[in-house]
Amino acid sequence: MADTTDVETTTISISADDDTTDEVTVPAGLLDLVAEGDQTAAETVGDVTLLSFASRAHHIVHHGEETDPELDAQEERIMELFEERFGVTFGEATGHQH
């Protein structure tokens, strides 16, 4: 098994509108691996976060067992935010369209 103690990490601080905060620590090499061009660590984590929320919302709404108009609206909004940030739809970016 690999020795992970030598793996460099980067800690990202998160602040929310409700004045709560959190931190997430990730391997720096993974940030470099998924970064687009000269993106900063914060931009990369932002992209991954938005992608994750969009993916989870899509899964819940389109592959879940029940429908809910409020949840549908939340999923629609995250997809709008996704397209604003990435310039393509979630379906175009992931190849997963319904």
Side-chain angles (χ1 to χ4, degrees):
M1 184 172 277
D3 178 15
T4 62
T5 59
D6 292 333
V7 174
E8 182 181 342
T9 60
T10 298
T11 300
I12 303 293
S13 298
I14 303 164
S15 300
D17 290 344
D18 65 0
D19 293 326
T20 59
T21 62
D22 196 6
E23 291 184 340
V24 61
T25 301
V26 296
L30 286 179
L31 284 174
D32 294 340
L33 182 66
V34 300
E36 296 285 330
D38 60 351
Q39 271 188 321
T40 66
E43 290 168 328
T44 302
V45 170
D47 282 358
V48 171
T49 301
L50 189 59
L51 174 60
S52 180
F53 271 101
S55 178
R56 295 288 296 153
H58 171 84
H59 181 78
I60 292 166
V61 169
H62 296 284
H63 302 285
E65 296 184 14
E66 57 186 79
T67 61
D68 175 348
E70 176 62 25
L71 186 55
D72 290 345
Q74 296 291 325
E75 190 257 356
E76 187 175 328
R77 182 63 178 133
I78 194 68
M79 294 307 168
E80 292 170 354
L81 294 168
F82 183 95
E83 190 168 352
E84 286 174 19
R85 184 168 183 121
F86 296 110
V88 296
T89 66
F90 179 78
E92 292 169 330
T94 64
H96 188 94
Q97 299 181 7
H98 290 268

